[in-house]
Amino acid sequence: MFQTYEEAVDWIHSRLRFGIKPGLKRMTWMMEKLNNPHKHIRAIHVAGTNGKGSTIAYMRNVLQEAGYTTGTFTSPFLETFNERISMNGKPISDEEMLFLVNMIRPLADELEETELGGPTEFEVITAMAFYYFGRHEKTDILLLETGLGGTYDSTNIAEPILTMITSIGYDHMNILGNTIEEIAGEKAGIIKQGIPMLTSVADERALNVIKKKANEMNASLYYDSFPVLSHQPIPRGERFEMKTPFSHYQNLEISMRGEHQVQNAALAVMALDYLRANELFHIDEQHVIKGLLQTSWSGRFEQVSEYPAIIVDGAHNKEGVESLAAVMKRHYHGKKIHILFSALKDKEYAEMIDILSSIADSMHFTTFDFPRAASAAELFEACRHPKKDFDEEWKSAFDKMMTAGEFGDIFLVTGSLYFISEVRPYCRNFLSEN
């Protein structure tokens, strides 16, 4: 038995040595030992390359606005590890985390002695989440985010009422495959027999894979029946109009910026409308309007300082960086932009750097304390921007970026979400520290 929260979290992190082991047998084994708590949860299962967290955040806020107790299982975390298992947007307490680890650890030890081998870090956390939400009698619904892919993701033992795929792009190709079709096949693995699937995937290659899988599973597929009819940027976000098969929404507003956020919000509205139309939940238009507007998602195009304008964004793959660049061009046209970037070495970071360089007046590179982090020098060498520098110490690199520009410029910190979680508090407190 662990006595402290710190011991418990250290043990979870120690499971990283087991790496990534796709497959559901270890999860099934642990769930059976716990009397299958995942079978007692109404869940919506969300996969996708980008946009999962934002889509879940939109749904959570609307469901809460409608009075429902809403659990979320998301990754990674930005400020506290407990964020990954949250109820109504509030991370579980340290005491609850300690209790859950003490429940799961004996099972992990026992499992390690079998031919299946010990569970990974993510499998341990997923088991904790299912146990928590399955036993928590107040959970009306769980919004469940995949960790990686879909088919063999440890969350895929869930028995959801809806499945969703936000987007398909090139990420985690060493595990999911080298083509869009292969990656889509992995994500489409969450589609369940007879359970409706909603997607905002537009790429025909990926969509064809999803259609085929939905047809095989006799699952109703919604992909082109909730169009965004109009969309314009507003000073503090985006305004849009959309239709679903059940409703017509005019003048919806979100505070998160970017066309990709409009797509995420539209997908969330479609899911909520489906729940309402099928009398699974009582949600009205005012709940949707209020819930969308009050949604924010830390570390996703988050302006942490007004003057100077400092933005942090966890754009950690090519598609994410393309969306980020489009938002910067549209909202900060004519402004000088200075960028601090860090990434994991297994990402396609050269392409990401090229895209960011196209909008930057200066590029700055650093690294952070993470086993798979690329060095600042590696990133620097991949950059063709004429005005660039690097520092292996991220605080020094941040300071270099800030001194490269003037007070009225835009300062953007982006890259790996693990990097963002480390530097975000410093960015938020920059003025008070200086």
Side-chain angles (χ1 to χ4, degrees):
M1 292 280 285
F2 295 113
Q3 300 301 313
T4 69
Y5 168 81
E6 289 73 23
E7 288 173 344
V9 173
D10 283 347
W11 176 77
I12 294 173
H13 290 323
S14 77
R15 310 302 299 179
L16 270 172
R17 73 180 188 278
F18 289 90
I20 295 167
K21 300 195 292 190
L24 302 178
K25 288 181 178 176
R26 287 175 300 280
M27 282 302 301
T28 303
W29 188 95
M30 287 192 286
M31 289 300 101
E32 284 175 355
K33 293 280 184 180
L34 294 168
N35 294 320
N36 294 313
H38 63 297
K39 293 180 181 283
H40 307 297
I41 305 169
R42 282 205 293 185
I44 295 178
H45 201 189
V46 184
T49 305
N50 294 309
K52 298 186 295 290
S54 300
T55 302
I56 283 173
Y58 289 124
M59 289 193 289
R60 174 179 66 76
N61 276 289
V62 173
L63 286 160
Q64 276 182 243
E65 195 64 40
Y68 293 103
T69 302
T70 308
T72 51
F73 179 63
T74 56
S75 59
F77 65 94
L78 271 186
E79 289 182 358
T80 69
F81 186 81
N82 305 22
E83 286 169 33
R84 301 182 79 163
I85 303 172
S86 293
M87 190 71 91
N88 283 348
K90 292 193 174 95
I92 61 170
S93 68
D94 290 358
E95 292 75 23
E96 287 169 317
M97 182 66 75
L98 179 59
F99 169 78
L100 291 172
V101 170
N102 281 327
M103 282 298 305
I104 300 301
R105 194 216 168 145
L107 298 182
D109 291 343
E110 193 181 337
L111 185 54
E112 216 161 310
E113 300 303 314
T114 72
E115 72 282 357
L116 296 173
T120 65
E121 182 192 45
F122 191 70
E123 287 170 335
V124 164
I125 302 163
T126 307
M128 288 162 54
F130 281 137
Y131 185 76
Y132 178 79
F133 292 117
R135 286 174 54 89
H136 202 304
E137 68 280 0
K138 290 183 180 169
T139 309
D140 291 317
I141 188 164
L142 170 62
L143 305 177
L144 180 67
E145 179 184 325
T146 59
L148 188 62
T151 305
Y152 300 111
D153 189 79
S154 59
T155 60
N156 205 28
I157 60 166
E159 298 178 2
I161 58 173
L162 266 185
T163 59
M164 301 167 70
I165 299 175
T166 55
S167 66
I168 303 286
Y170 292 105
D171 202 3
H172 301 296
M173 287 140 66
N174 56 324
I175 296 164
L176 302 181
N178 292 313
T179 68
I180 284 291
E181 290 87 350
E182 286 175 324
I183 295 168
E186 287 300 313
K187 308 280 188 196
I190 70 165
I191 299 174
K192 303 290 188 297
Q193 187 71 40
I195 303 299
M197 153 60 62
L198 282 57
T199 185
S200 47
V201 168
D203 188 299
E204 279 298 324
R205 296 166 298 171
L207 197 51
N208 286 337
V209 173
I210 294 168
K211 285 178 183 175
K212 184 170 182 287
K213 180 69 173 181
N215 189 50
E216 287 170 5
M217 302 301 284
N218 196 27
S220 303
L221 178 63
Y222 297 85
Y223 64 93
D224 61 357
S225 54
F226 49 102
V228 173
L229 304 175
S230 67
H231 157 226
Q232 59 273 350
I234 54 177
R236 281 292 183 178
E238 312 284 344
R239 179 182 294 133
F240 65 101
E241 175 187 359
M242 69 171 288
K243 268 188 170 179
T244 75
F246 318 107
S247 307
H248 184 180
Y249 293 93
Q250 295 173 303
N251 295 324
L252 292 175
E253 291 186 10
I254 54 174
S255 60
M256 294 201 278
R257 293 171 177 170
E259 190 173 337
H260 61 297
Q261 287 298 353
V262 173
Q263 293 302 327
N264 293 337
L267 180 62
V269 171
M270 175 62 209
L272 296 159
D273 242 22
Y274 178 88
L275 297 178
R276 181 187 59 76
N278 286 276
E279 299 183 349
L280 296 167
F281 290 83
H282 298 290
I283 301 165
D284 65 35
E285 189 171 344
Q286 282 309 305
H287 299 142
V288 173
I289 291 168
K290 286 184 186 173
L292 289 188
L293 189 56
Q294 67 194 21
T295 300
S296 61
W297 190 231
S298 299
R300 275 66 165 195
F301 208 86
E302 180 185 11
Q303 188 158 346
V304 295
S305 167
E306 289 280 344
Y307 302 106
I310 303 172
I311 295 162
V312 296
D313 188 276
H316 56 280
N317 52 41
K318 182 171 172 259
E319 285 75 17
V321 166
E322 284 173 339
S323 296
L324 171 60
V327 177
M328 295 298 288
K329 283 178 189 170
R330 208 176 62 194
H331 281 273
Y332 297 109
H333 180 71
K335 290 271 194 181
K336 287 186 175 178
I337 298 167
H338 307 276
I339 297 176
L340 174 61
F341 178 75
S342 193
L344 300 182
K345 62 177 72 167
D346 54 10
K347 298 285 182 174
E348 305 277 311
Y349 58 73
E351 288 182 76
M352 296 158 69
I353 289 168
D354 279 348
I355 296 163
L356 292 171
S357 294
S358 72
I359 64 165
D361 286 84
S362 68
M363 290 290 295
H364 310 266
F365 300 97
T366 192
T367 190
F368 59 106
D369 184 19
F370 193 76
R372 290 171 16 236
S375 72
E378 286 174 307
L379 300 172
F380 176 84
E381 288 299 326
C383 179
R384 294 180 286 187
H385 197 285
K387 192 174 178 185
K388 61 178 182 173
D389 61 40
F390 73 96
D391 198 306
E392 300 293 342
E393 164 52 50
W394 64 257
K395 283 185 184 175
S396 301
F398 180 85
D399 293 342
K400 283 180 181 176
M401 175 186 69
M402 296 306 297
T403 55
E406 297 175 355
F407 203 69
D409 294 350
I410 309 298
F411 301 91
L412 171 64
V413 180
T414 188
S416 165
L417 277 166
Y418 297 104
F419 169 59
I420 295 299
S421 71
E422 194 165 321
V423 304
R424 181 172 166 267
Y426 183 77
C427 297
R428 293 177 76 183
N429 298 324
F430 173 72
L431 289 178
S432 60
E433 303 261 336
N434 287 274

